[in-house]
Amino acid sequence: MSVDRLSWQIKNEATLGELVQLMNLSADEAAILKSLQDKAHQQAPAMREDFYERLLSHPQTAEYFSNVNMNHMYSMLQNWFVELFCGVYDEAYARRRIKIGDTHVRIGLPVRYPLAMLDVAMAHAETVARAHAQPDAAATAVRKVLALDVAVFNQAYEDRQIQALAEMVGNERLARRLLSGEA
Amino acid sequence: MSVDRLSWQIKNEATLGELVQLMNLSADEAAILKSLQDKAHQQAPAMREDFYERLLSHPQTAEYFSNVNMNHMYSMLQNWFVELFCGVYDEAYARRRIKIGDTHVRIGLPVRYPLAMLDVAMAHAETVARAHAQPDAAATAVRKVLALDVAVFNQAYEDRQIQALAEMVGNERLARRLLSGEA
Protein backbone atom coordinates (compact mmCIF):
# COMPACT_ATOMS: atom_id res chain seq x y z
CA MET A 1 0.00 0.00 0.00
CA SER A 2 2.19 2.80 -1.27
CA VAL A 3 -0.68 5.18 -2.13
CA ASP A 4 -3.34 7.12 -0.30
CA ARG A 5 -6.91 6.09 -1.02
CA LEU A 6 -9.91 8.09 -2.23
CA SER A 7 -11.97 6.33 0.41
CA TRP A 8 -9.82 7.76 3.21
CA GLN A 9 -11.16 11.25 2.41
CA ILE A 10 -14.74 10.25 3.22
CA LYS A 11 -15.44 10.59 6.92
CA ASN A 12 -18.09 10.62 9.62
CA GLU A 13 -21.59 11.53 8.36
CA ALA A 14 -20.41 11.57 4.74
CA THR A 15 -19.89 7.80 4.84
CA LEU A 16 -23.65 7.24 4.88
CA GLY A 17 -24.29 9.15 1.65
CA GLU A 18 -21.45 7.25 0.05
CA LEU A 19 -22.87 3.89 1.12
CA VAL A 20 -26.43 4.76 0.05
CA GLN A 21 -24.95 5.37 -3.41
CA LEU A 22 -22.75 2.25 -3.32
CA MET A 23 -25.68 0.06 -2.32
CA ASN A 24 -28.18 1.73 -4.69
CA LEU A 25 -30.67 2.32 -1.92
CA SER A 26 -33.40 3.89 -4.06
CA ALA A 27 -36.19 6.36 -3.30
CA ASP A 28 -38.67 3.52 -3.91
CA GLU A 29 -36.92 1.38 -1.32
CA ALA A 30 -36.87 4.25 1.18
CA ALA A 31 -40.63 4.65 0.60
CA ILE A 32 -41.22 0.93 1.15
CA LEU A 33 -39.33 1.13 4.45
CA LYS A 34 -41.29 4.19 5.55
CA SER A 35 -44.58 2.46 4.76
CA LEU A 36 -43.56 -0.37 7.11
CA GLN A 37 -42.72 1.82 10.09
CA ASP A 38 -46.01 1.20 11.94
CA LYS A 39 -45.52 -2.53 11.49
CA ALA A 40 -41.94 -2.16 12.79
CA HIS A 41 -43.32 -0.41 15.84
CA GLN A 42 -45.56 -3.42 16.52
CA GLN A 43 -42.68 -5.85 15.99
CA ALA A 44 -40.17 -3.98 18.16
CA PRO A 45 -41.07 -5.49 21.58
CA ALA A 46 -40.64 -9.07 20.26
CA MET A 47 -37.30 -8.12 18.73
CA ARG A 48 -36.17 -6.51 21.98
CA GLU A 49 -37.17 -9.61 23.91
CA ASP A 50 -35.07 -11.96 21.73
CA PHE A 51 -32.21 -9.46 21.70
CA TYR A 52 -31.92 -9.06 25.46
CA GLU A 53 -32.64 -12.69 26.23
CA ARG A 54 -29.43 -13.53 24.37
CA LEU A 55 -27.33 -10.70 25.83
CA LEU A 56 -28.40 -11.26 29.41
CA SER A 57 -27.84 -15.06 29.29
CA HIS A 58 -24.16 -14.66 28.49
CA PRO A 59 -21.80 -13.57 31.32
CA GLN A 60 -19.46 -11.58 29.05
CA THR A 61 -22.29 -9.45 27.71
CA ALA A 62 -24.53 -9.42 30.80
CA GLU A 63 -21.66 -7.73 32.65
CA TYR A 64 -22.22 -4.52 30.70
CA PHE A 65 -25.76 -4.27 32.07
CA SER A 66 -25.06 -4.32 35.79
CA ASN A 67 -26.19 -1.05 37.37
CA VAL A 68 -27.98 -0.04 34.19
CA ASN A 69 -31.60 1.11 33.90
CA MET A 70 -32.97 -1.70 31.74
CA ASN A 71 -36.19 0.09 30.84
CA HIS A 72 -34.08 2.81 29.28
CA MET A 73 -32.06 0.20 27.35
CA TYR A 74 -35.23 -1.51 26.10
CA SER A 75 -36.67 1.75 24.90
CA MET A 76 -33.41 2.76 23.15
CA LEU A 77 -33.23 -0.59 21.35
CA GLN A 78 -36.84 -0.44 20.20
CA ASN A 79 -36.33 3.10 18.93
CA TRP A 80 -33.24 1.95 17.06
CA PHE A 81 -35.26 -0.77 15.33
CA VAL A 82 -38.20 1.49 14.45
CA GLU A 83 -35.85 4.15 13.08
CA LEU A 84 -34.46 1.69 10.52
CA PHE A 85 -37.83 2.26 8.84
CA CYS A 86 -37.81 6.07 9.00
CA GLY A 87 -37.49 6.43 5.22
CA VAL A 88 -34.94 9.27 5.26
CA TYR A 89 -31.29 8.18 5.13
CA ASP A 90 -29.47 11.50 5.20
CA GLU A 91 -26.67 13.10 7.21
CA ALA A 92 -28.90 13.62 10.25
CA TYR A 93 -29.73 9.89 10.17
CA ALA A 94 -26.02 9.09 9.89
CA ARG A 95 -25.25 11.36 12.82
CA ARG A 96 -27.77 9.56 15.01
CA ARG A 97 -26.41 6.13 14.01
CA ILE A 98 -22.76 7.15 14.51
CA LYS A 99 -23.68 8.45 17.95
CA ILE A 100 -24.97 4.97 18.80
CA GLY A 101 -21.64 3.51 17.68
CA ASP A 102 -19.73 6.06 19.76
CA THR A 103 -21.69 5.11 22.86
CA HIS A 104 -20.67 1.48 22.39
CA VAL A 105 -17.02 2.45 21.89
CA ARG A 106 -17.09 4.53 25.07
CA ILE A 107 -18.17 1.66 27.28
CA GLY A 108 -15.30 -0.48 25.92
CA LEU A 109 -17.63 -3.02 24.31
CA PRO A 110 -15.85 -5.31 21.83
CA VAL A 111 -17.41 -4.79 18.43
CA ARG A 112 -18.18 -8.49 17.99
CA TYR A 113 -21.15 -8.34 20.38
CA PRO A 114 -23.37 -5.84 18.60
CA LEU A 115 -22.46 -7.53 15.30
CA ALA A 116 -23.39 -10.97 16.62
CA MET A 117 -26.89 -9.61 17.32
CA LEU A 118 -27.48 -8.91 13.66
CA ASP A 119 -29.33 -12.14 12.96
CA VAL A 120 -31.93 -11.29 15.62
CA ALA A 121 -32.55 -7.84 14.16
CA MET A 122 -32.56 -9.28 10.62
CA ALA A 123 -35.13 -11.98 11.46
CA HIS A 124 -37.54 -9.45 12.94
CA ALA A 125 -36.92 -6.92 10.16
CA GLU A 126 -37.78 -9.63 7.61
CA THR A 127 -40.96 -10.40 9.51
CA VAL A 128 -41.84 -6.73 9.08
CA ALA A 129 -40.96 -6.92 5.36
CA ARG A 130 -43.35 -9.84 4.84
CA ALA A 131 -46.24 -7.54 5.78
CA HIS A 132 -45.63 -5.53 2.58
CA ALA A 133 -47.60 -6.12 -0.63
CA GLN A 134 -44.25 -6.69 -2.39
CA PRO A 135 -42.46 -8.82 0.20
CA ASP A 136 -39.36 -9.55 -1.93
CA ALA A 137 -38.73 -5.88 -2.70
CA ALA A 138 -39.34 -5.08 0.95
CA ALA A 139 -36.89 -7.79 2.08
CA THR A 140 -34.24 -6.37 -0.25
CA ALA A 141 -34.78 -2.88 1.19
CA VAL A 142 -34.68 -4.19 4.74
CA ARG A 143 -31.40 -6.03 4.13
CA LYS A 144 -29.85 -2.90 2.65
CA VAL A 145 -30.84 -0.65 5.52
CA LEU A 146 -29.52 -3.14 8.08
CA ALA A 147 -26.21 -3.60 6.25
CA LEU A 148 -25.99 0.20 6.03
CA ASP A 149 -26.56 0.46 9.74
CA VAL A 150 -23.90 -2.11 10.57
CA ALA A 151 -21.41 -0.34 8.30
CA VAL A 152 -22.03 3.12 9.74
CA PHE A 153 -22.19 1.86 13.33
CA ASN A 154 -18.93 0.15 12.82
CA GLN A 155 -17.27 3.06 11.14
CA ALA A 156 -17.66 4.81 14.49
CA TYR A 157 -15.32 2.19 15.98
CA GLU A 158 -12.80 2.52 13.19
CA ASP A 159 -12.87 6.32 13.22
CA ARG A 160 -12.46 6.46 16.99
CA GLN A 161 -9.52 4.12 16.85
CA ILE A 162 -7.81 5.91 14.00
CA GLN A 163 -8.36 9.21 15.76
CA ALA A 164 -6.84 7.95 19.03
CA LEU A 165 -3.79 6.71 17.17
CA ALA A 166 -3.53 9.86 15.02
CA GLU A 167 -3.49 11.99 18.17
CA MET A 168 -0.56 9.98 19.50
CA VAL A 169 1.55 9.89 16.36
CA GLY A 170 0.70 13.38 15.12
CA ASN A 171 -1.13 12.62 11.88
CA GLU A 172 -3.83 10.44 10.45
CA ARG A 173 -1.94 9.19 7.42
CA LEU A 174 0.76 7.68 9.61
CA ALA A 175 -1.93 6.26 11.89
CA ARG A 176 -3.55 4.45 8.95
CA ARG A 177 -0.22 3.05 7.87
CA LEU A 178 0.60 1.86 11.38
CA LEU A 179 -2.72 0.06 11.54
CA SER A 180 -2.21 -1.65 8.23
CA GLY A 181 1.27 -2.71 9.38
CA GLU A 182 2.96 -0.75 6.56
CA ALA A 183 4.59 2.09 8.48
CA MET B 1 -15.45 2.41 32.74
CA SER B 2 -13.41 1.87 35.86
CA VAL B 3 -13.19 -1.94 35.58
CA ASP B 4 -11.66 -4.46 33.27
CA ARG B 5 -14.09 -6.66 31.40
CA LEU B 6 -14.41 -10.44 31.19
CA SER B 7 -14.86 -10.06 27.45
CA TRP B 8 -11.40 -8.48 27.07
CA GLN B 9 -9.83 -11.81 27.99
CA ILE B 10 -11.32 -13.56 24.97
CA LYS B 11 -9.16 -13.12 21.91
CA ASN B 12 -8.50 -14.22 18.37
CA GLU B 13 -9.79 -17.71 17.52
CA ALA B 14 -11.47 -18.02 20.93
CA THR B 15 -13.98 -15.32 19.97
CA LEU B 16 -15.70 -17.71 17.56
CA GLY B 17 -16.42 -20.35 20.20
CA GLU B 18 -17.75 -17.63 22.45
CA LEU B 19 -20.06 -16.29 19.77
CA VAL B 20 -21.32 -19.75 18.75
CA GLN B 21 -22.37 -20.14 22.38
CA LEU B 22 -23.82 -16.60 22.63
CA MET B 23 -25.86 -17.11 19.46
CA ASN B 24 -26.92 -20.68 20.31
CA LEU B 25 -25.74 -22.00 16.96
CA SER B 26 -26.81 -25.62 17.45
CA ALA B 27 -25.55 -28.92 16.04
CA ASP B 28 -28.85 -29.18 14.13
CA GLU B 29 -28.28 -25.78 12.55
CA ALA B 30 -24.71 -26.71 11.63
CA ALA B 31 -26.07 -29.87 9.99
CA ILE B 32 -28.67 -27.88 8.04
CA LEU B 33 -25.94 -25.57 6.76
CA LYS B 34 -23.74 -28.50 5.75
CA SER B 35 -26.64 -30.11 3.88
CA LEU B 36 -26.95 -26.91 1.82
CA GLN B 37 -23.31 -26.68 0.77
CA ASP B 38 -23.84 -28.10 -2.72
CA LYS B 39 -26.65 -25.64 -3.28
CA ALA B 40 -24.35 -22.83 -2.03
CA HIS B 41 -21.78 -23.94 -4.56
CA GLN B 42 -24.37 -23.55 -7.33
CA GLN B 43 -25.44 -20.14 -6.03
CA ALA B 44 -21.92 -18.76 -5.57
CA PRO B 45 -21.33 -17.42 -9.12
CA ALA B 46 -24.57 -15.35 -9.03
CA MET B 47 -23.59 -13.97 -5.62
CA ARG B 48 -20.13 -13.09 -6.88
CA GLU B 49 -21.61 -11.32 -9.90
CA ASP B 50 -23.85 -9.06 -7.77
CA PHE B 51 -21.03 -8.50 -5.29
CA TYR B 52 -18.44 -7.34 -7.79
CA GLU B 53 -20.88 -5.41 -9.93
CA ARG B 54 -21.45 -3.15 -6.93
CA LEU B 55 -17.81 -2.88 -5.90
CA LEU B 56 -16.47 -2.19 -9.38
CA SER B 57 -19.12 0.49 -10.17
CA HIS B 58 -18.00 2.67 -7.27
CA PRO B 59 -14.72 4.63 -7.65
CA GLN B 60 -13.77 4.42 -3.96
CA THR B 61 -13.99 0.63 -3.95
CA ALA B 62 -12.96 -0.05 -7.57
CA GLU B 63 -9.63 1.62 -6.72
CA TYR B 64 -8.64 -1.37 -4.59
CA PHE B 65 -8.91 -3.66 -7.61
CA SER B 66 -6.51 -1.96 -9.98
CA ASN B 67 -3.60 -4.27 -10.80
CA VAL B 68 -5.35 -7.19 -9.17
CA ASN B 69 -5.96 -10.62 -10.70
CA MET B 70 -9.76 -10.60 -10.77
CA ASN B 71 -10.12 -14.31 -11.42
CA HIS B 72 -8.31 -14.91 -8.17
CA MET B 73 -10.63 -12.47 -6.36
CA TYR B 74 -13.72 -14.14 -7.83
CA SER B 75 -12.56 -17.54 -6.74
CA MET B 76 -11.70 -16.32 -3.20
CA LEU B 77 -15.13 -14.73 -2.82
CA GLN B 78 -16.98 -17.83 -4.03
CA ASN B 79 -14.95 -20.00 -1.67
CA TRP B 80 -15.79 -17.64 1.18
CA PHE B 81 -19.50 -18.01 0.42
CA VAL B 82 -19.41 -21.81 0.08
CA GLU B 83 -17.45 -22.13 3.31
CA LEU B 84 -20.25 -20.43 5.26
CA PHE B 85 -22.00 -23.77 4.71
CA CYS B 86 -19.12 -26.01 5.81
CA GLY B 87 -20.97 -27.19 8.92
CA VAL B 88 -17.97 -27.03 11.30
CA TYR B 89 -17.56 -23.77 13.19
CA ASP B 90 -14.44 -24.43 15.24
CA GLU B 91 -11.12 -22.73 15.89
CA ALA B 92 -9.75 -23.71 12.49
CA TYR B 93 -12.80 -22.08 10.88
CA ALA B 94 -12.24 -18.98 13.01
CA ARG B 95 -8.60 -18.87 12.00
CA ARG B 96 -9.52 -18.91 8.31
CA ARG B 97 -12.12 -16.16 8.78
CA ILE B 98 -9.80 -13.95 10.87
CA LYS B 99 -7.16 -14.32 8.16
CA ILE B 100 -9.66 -12.88 5.67
CA GLY B 101 -10.20 -9.92 8.00
CA ASP B 102 -6.45 -9.43 8.37
CA THR B 103 -6.02 -9.30 4.61
CA HIS B 104 -8.58 -6.49 4.41
CA VAL B 105 -6.88 -4.58 7.24
CA ARG B 106 -3.52 -4.90 5.48
CA ILE B 107 -4.70 -3.23 2.28
CA GLY B 108 -6.04 -0.28 4.32
CA LEU B 109 -9.67 -0.94 3.35
CA PRO B 110 -12.16 0.96 5.52
CA VAL B 111 -14.31 -1.58 7.30
CA ARG B 112 -17.54 -0.03 6.01
CA TYR B 113 -17.10 -1.52 2.54
CA PRO B 114 -17.10 -5.22 3.35
CA LEU B 115 -19.94 -4.59 5.80
CA ALA B 116 -22.00 -2.76 3.19
CA MET B 117 -21.85 -5.92 1.04
CA LEU B 118 -23.68 -7.94 3.66
CA ASP B 119 -27.11 -7.53 2.07
CA VAL B 120 -25.84 -9.11 -1.16
CA ALA B 121 -24.39 -12.12 0.65
CA MET B 122 -27.52 -12.37 2.82
CA ALA B 123 -29.91 -12.35 -0.16
CA HIS B 124 -28.02 -15.18 -1.87
CA ALA B 125 -27.60 -17.13 1.36
CA GLU B 126 -31.37 -16.92 1.91
CA THR B 127 -31.95 -18.18 -1.62
CA VAL B 128 -29.84 -21.17 -0.65
CA ALA B 129 -31.84 -21.59 2.59
CA ARG B 130 -35.12 -21.72 0.65
CA ALA B 131 -33.90 -24.94 -1.02
CA HIS B 132 -34.09 -26.72 2.34
CA ALA B 133 -37.10 -28.81 3.42
CA GLN B 134 -37.37 -26.58 6.52
CA PRO B 135 -36.79 -23.17 4.95
CA ASP B 136 -37.46 -21.12 8.12
CA ALA B 137 -35.02 -23.13 10.24
CA ALA B 138 -32.51 -22.90 7.39
CA ALA B 139 -32.97 -19.13 7.14
CA THR B 140 -32.35 -18.79 10.89
CA ALA B 141 -29.15 -20.85 10.60
CA VAL B 142 -27.99 -18.84 7.59
CA ARG B 143 -28.53 -15.54 9.38
CA LYS B 144 -26.57 -16.78 12.39
CA VAL B 145 -23.60 -17.94 10.37
CA LEU B 146 -23.46 -14.68 8.44
CA ALA B 147 -23.69 -12.56 11.61
CA LEU B 148 -20.97 -14.77 13.10
CA ASP B 149 -18.82 -14.17 10.08
CA VAL B 150 -19.27 -10.41 10.21
CA ALA B 151 -18.43 -10.39 13.92
CA VAL B 152 -15.27 -12.47 13.57
CA PHE B 153 -14.15 -10.69 10.40
CA ASN B 154 -14.55 -7.43 12.15
CA GLN B 155 -12.82 -8.51 15.30
CA ALA B 156 -9.72 -8.80 13.13
CA TYR B 157 -9.93 -5.02 12.55
CA GLU B 158 -10.45 -4.28 16.22
CA ASP B 159 -7.67 -6.63 17.35
CA ARG B 160 -5.20 -5.22 14.83
CA GLN B 161 -5.97 -1.69 15.93
CA ILE B 162 -5.73 -2.44 19.63
CA GLN B 163 -2.49 -4.30 19.02
CA ALA B 164 -0.94 -1.39 17.09
CA LEU B 165 -1.87 1.00 19.87
CA ALA B 166 -0.74 -1.41 22.62
CA GLU B 167 2.67 -1.68 20.98
CA MET B 168 3.01 2.09 21.06
CA VAL B 169 1.83 2.68 24.62
CA GLY B 170 3.37 -0.45 26.14
CA ASN B 171 0.28 -2.36 27.25
CA GLU B 172 -3.11 -3.46 26.04
CA ARG B 173 -5.12 -2.27 29.01
CA LEU B 174 -3.98 1.31 28.50
CA ALA B 175 -4.64 0.93 24.77
CA ARG B 176 -8.25 -0.09 25.44
CA ARG B 177 -8.74 2.86 27.75
CA LEU B 178 -7.25 5.29 25.25
CA LEU B 179 -9.65 4.00 22.60
CA SER B 180 -12.65 4.38 24.84
CA GLY B 181 -11.53 7.93 25.69
CA GLU B 182 -11.17 7.09 29.40
CA ALA B 183 -7.40 7.14 29.83
Side-chain angles (χ1 to χ4, degrees), chain B residues 28 54 56 60 62 67 79 83 150 183:
Chain B
D28 282 354
R54 184 185 283 180
L56 297 174
Q60 283 81 357
N67 302 313
N79 290 344
E83 188 150 336
V150 167

Side-chain angles (χ1 to χ4, degrees), chain B residues 116-133:
Chain B
M117 301 311 293
L118 179 71
D119 61 312
V120 172
M122 185 70 79
H124 287 276
E126 292 197 10
T127 299
V128 172
R130 280 199 292 274
H132 196 269

Side-chain angles (χ1 to χ4, degrees), chain B:
Chain B
M1 187 177 55
S2 59
V3 291
D4 286 343
R5 294 299 189 177
L6 289 175
S7 54
W8 297 359
Q9 306 305 316
I10 301 171
K11 290 176 193 175
N12 306 319
E13 289 82 359
T15 55
L16 186 110
E18 188 213 8
L19 295 179
V20 164
Q21 191 187 21
L22 170 74
M23 300 172 78
N24 302 312
L25 180 70
S26 69
D28 282 354
E29 288 172 329
I32 288 176
L33 291 163
K34 175 72 186 159
S35 76
L36 289 167
Q37 194 165 29
D38 286 348
K39 177 74 190 162
H41 201 271
Q42 292 162 35
Q43 189 69 25
M47 187 278 306
R48 177 259 288 168
E49 202 165 316
D50 285 352
F51 204 94
Y52 274 105
E53 189 189 340
R54 184 185 283 180
L55 287 178
L56 297 174
S57 317
H58 186 68
Q60 283 81 357
T61 45
E63 190 179 54
Y64 288 89
F65 300 101
S66 51
N67 302 313
V68 161
N69 176 341
M70 289 311 295
N71 283 334
H72 180 64
M73 302 305 291
Y74 294 158
S75 143
M76 300 275 278
L77 180 67
Q78 292 187 199
N79 290 344
W80 166 80
F81 184 75
V82 172
E83 188 150 336
L84 289 170
F85 297 85
C86 71
V88 181
Y89 308 98
D90 60 2
E91 290 213 353
Y93 178 85
R95 207 168 301 123
R96 295 193 296 273
R97 303 320 245 186
I98 289 170
K99 198 176 159 199
I100 296 172
D102 284 340
T103 305
H104 287 79
V105 173
R106 214 159 47 231
I107 62 168
L109 185 75
V111 71
R112 68 181 176 276
Y113 297 121
L115 295 176
M117 301 311 293
L118 179 71
D119 61 312
V120 172
M122 185 70 79
H124 287 276
E126 292 197 10
T127 299
V128 172
R130 280 199 292 274
H132 196 269
Q134 298 170 276
D136 289 346
T140 299
V142 150
R143 283 188 212 107
K144 281 189 187 178
V145 85
L146 257 175
L148 191 62
D149 212 78
V150 167
V152 171
F153 171 87
N154 223 62
Q155 191 69 29
Y157 273 78
E158 186 169 279
D159 287 350
R160 182 70 195 89
Q161 295 176 336
I162 286 169
Q163 192 192 328
L165 198 53
E167 278 166 17
M168 297 193 64
V169 300
N171 78 78
E172 184 191 310
R173 193 158 173 259
L174 179 57
R176 286 190 184 268
R177 289 172 181 230
L178 280 167
L179 290 179
S180 67
E182 292 261 335

Side-chain angles (χ1 to χ4, degrees), chain A residues 42-102:
Chain A
Q42 293 163 34
Q43 189 69 25
M47 187 278 305
R48 177 259 289 169
E49 202 165 317
D50 285 352
F51 204 95
Y52 274 105
E53 190 190 340
R54 184 185 283 180
L55 288 178
L56 296 174
S57 317
H58 186 69
Q60 284 81 358
T61 44
E63 189 180 54
Y64 288 89
F65 300 100
S66 51
N67 303 312
V68 161
N69 176 341
M70 289 311 294
N71 283 334
H72 180 66
M73 302 305 291
Y74 294 158
S75 143
M76 299 275 278
L77 179 67
Q78 292 187 200
N79 289 344
W80 166 80
F81 183 75
V82 173
E83 188 149 337
L84 289 170
F85 297 84
C86 71
V88 181
Y89 307 99
D90 59 2
E91 291 212 353
Y93 179 85
R95 207 168 300 123
R96 294 193 297 273
R97 304 318 246 187
I98 290 170
K99 199 176 158 200
I100 295 172
D102 284 341

Side-chain angles (χ1 to χ4, degrees), chain A residues 114-136:
Chain A
L115 295 176
M117 300 310 294
L118 179 70
D119 61 312
V120 172
M122 185 71 80
H124 287 275
E126 292 198 10
T127 298
V128 172
R130 280 198 291 275
H132 197 269
Q134 298 170 277
D136 289 346

